[in-house]
Amino acid sequence: MDMHNIQESLTGIRGRIATAEARYQRPAGSVRLLAVSKTRPPEDIRNAYGAGQRLFGESYVQEAIDKIATLGGLDIEWHFVGPLQSNKTRAVARHFDWAHSVDRLKPARRLSEQRPEGKTPLNVCIQVNVSGEESKSGAAPAAVEGLAFAVHELPGVRLRGLMCIPARSGGFDRQRVSFRILEDIYTRLRGRGLPLDTLSAGMTGDLEAAIAEGSTMVRVGTGIFGPRIKKR
Ligand SMILES: *Cc1c(COP(=O)(O)O)cnc(C)c1O
């Protein structure tokens, strides 16, 4: 995609976010945009950066490390949104600012231990399985509170909130039901004293439903960069 198209798409997505904020009585600017740039070349990231985008999300560790090195001079906040297998945690702790997909205590402990000295704690979200049997990744809703308090204690990470990737479900109302489950847990945890400020919810196809249910960060890939490039 050339620069013009990425910039146009970004403007379109920002417009969708602003419209949804207004429609669902969310403060203007309360929803941040994470541009998910997995499989995209560094030039695409540069183009989005040129249009003011600063938060980028990646799913494949080695691909991400290469891009982070290539784009080292830019003021980018890097978010890891892929699955967190144990052989990935060291690189994520070293190279990223955020990890959205903590779903068990063990990888969270590793991220905390492996966060390099001198860096601020790694920002993390707990990924919640809001779709039951339809989806395998994410902590079960009933397990989230215990996990959240345990992660909150770890010195090398800072628990910021919750994340979900709902199973694809048809209409807007069904999408809202999934996001509502996430928001209910978030509200309860805040009520119990955890200082959370992030609901990472909503992608290209369902960001309006997520914003209606309190999302503070939408993760958009195809809506900005066009159809995904197949990984070889
Ligand atoms: C790829 C990806 C996205 C972006 O999805 P789109 O439908 O392309 O907007 C968001 N979140 C996660 C975790 C992803 O892996």
Side-chain angles (χ1 to χ4, degrees), residues 14-210:
R14 288 173 181 151
R16 280 176 62 186
I17 293 171
T19 301
E21 285 172 341
R23 179 168 300 155
Y24 302 106
Q25 289 87 46
R26 304 284 313 282
S30 59
V31 180
R32 303 176 81 200
L33 173 58
L34 175 60
V36 180
S37 47
K38 64 183 182 221
T39 78
R40 316 293 176 168
E43 303 87 81
D44 284 10
I45 296 177
R46 265 189 225 283
N47 288 342
Y49 187 91
Q53 181 63 31
R54 292 293 177 271
L55 279 53
F56 290 89
E58 292 282 340
S59 300
Y60 308 109
V61 169
Q62 190 52 52
E63 177 197 323
I65 291 174
D66 294 345
K67 288 188 213 170
I68 292 169
T70 303
L71 300 168
L74 304 185
D75 173 31
I76 290 178
E77 194 175 270
W78 292 102
H79 293 240
F80 184 75
V81 299
L84 263 178
Q85 293 101 337
S86 1
N87 62 341
K88 305 273 171 66
T89 55
R90 185 175 300 279
V92 171
R94 180 178 295 260
H95 295 283
F96 283 83
D97 303 297
W98 286 68
H100 288 234
S101 44
V102 169
D103 60 357
R104 287 170 300 124
L105 186 54
K106 195 169 156 204
R109 279 208 183 104
R110 292 173 66 96
L111 289 172
S112 177
E113 284 161 10
Q114 293 168 342
R115 184 67 167 169
E117 296 234 359
K119 286 208 178 210
T120 55
L122 180 72
N123 298 292
V124 300
C125 292
I126 290 175
Q127 183 177 348
V128 183
N129 178 356
V130 295
S131 306
E133 282 162 13
E134 294 166 70
S135 153
K136 277 169 287 199
S137 51
V144 173
E145 183 167 330
L147 179 57
F149 276 94
V151 171
H152 177 65
E153 295 298 318
L154 298 172
V157 300
R158 178 173 166 210
L159 180 62
R160 297 293 295 267
L162 305 178
M163 176 271 219
C164 72
I165 311 174
R168 258 177 241 286
S169 58
F172 182 77
D173 293 333
R174 279 203 57 192
Q175 293 169 359
R176 277 189 76 157
V177 169
S178 299
F179 293 123
R180 174 76 62 85
I181 294 171
L182 194 73
E183 192 190 25
D184 284 347
I185 300 171
Y186 178 74
T187 303
R188 180 153 44 82
L189 294 178
R190 281 168 37 117
R192 305 246 158 112
L194 286 177
L196 308 183
D197 62 7
T198 302
L199 263 182
S200 167
M203 320 201 311
T204 300
D206 57 12
L207 66 88
E208 284 84 2

